[in-house]
Amino acid sequence: MALLLTPVSGGADIWRQALVAAMPGLDVRVWPEVGDPAAIEIAAVGAPPAGALRGLPNLRLIISLTAGIDGLLRDKDLPAVPLVRAGDPSGDTMMNESALLHGLRNHRDLPEYQRAQARSEWIKLPIKAARERKI
């Protein structure tokens, strides 16, 4: 079994080492060095070129190495195999922090305060308890 890799960051060697350490003996191939396409059963991809996976007749699984899969889904030639996202079981810390940041920013009406500041106005808006809001 071979795995085709299109790494997203850190370089192909780092990804290859991590994959082989987790699955000794795994044949890891890095795009565009596909070798025999029939041997590839798994593709672990960041943002492969459109159509890159279409010529893999025995592909059984696509693993997205990024949070967003929009680019993959836009590929009209994407093989009809299961598509999963690899990720940290505890979640994406940066995404969690961004959601928290913007939730609190809007909860505390910061956009309205910023507009008032730009107009040189002092305003006081009603404050709601966080439990009174839904996100």
Side-chain angles (χ1 to χ4, degrees), residues 5 11-22 26-30:
L5 173 67
D13 287 336
I14 292 170
W15 283 93
R16 184 190 314 264
Q17 290 170 9
L19 288 165
V20 172
L26 180 65
D27 179 6
V28 178
R29 300 173 186 183
V30 179

Side-chain angles (χ1 to χ4, degrees), residues 37-92:
I40 297 172
E41 296 182 29
I42 300 171
V45 298
L53 305 179
R54 121 181 102 215
L56 307 175
N58 295 317
L59 189 65
R60 296 185 302 143
L61 175 67
I62 300 170
I63 303 169
S64 174
L65 300 176
T66 62
I69 61 167
D70 296 351
L72 282 170
L73 295 178
R74 278 193 293 272
D75 184 348
K76 293 177 181 139
D77 295 316
L78 189 69
V81 299
L83 170 61
V84 298
R85 179 187 176 278
D88 185 332
S90 64
D92 183 329

Side-chain angles (χ1 to χ4, degrees), residues 60-130:
R60 296 185 302 143
L61 175 67
I62 300 170
I63 303 169
S64 174
L65 300 176
T66 62
I69 61 167
D70 296 351
L72 282 170
L73 295 178
R74 278 193 293 272
D75 184 348
K76 293 177 181 139
D77 295 316
L78 189 69
V81 299
L83 170 61
V84 298
R85 179 187 176 278
D88 185 332
S90 64
D92 183 329
T93 302
M94 279 189 7
M95 187 64 72
N96 295 344
E97 290 171 352
S98 290
L100 179 60
L101 166 73
H102 291 288
L104 289 172
R105 179 177 180 271
N106 287 293
H107 167 65
R108 290 293 183 201
D109 296 308
L110 289 183
E112 186 58 34
Y113 282 113
Q114 287 174 316
R115 286 189 287 274
Q117 182 184 30
R119 296 186 305 262
S120 298
E121 293 178 6
W122 179 261
I123 63 170
K124 182 168 169 67
L125 298 173
I127 297 173
K128 284 189 173 185

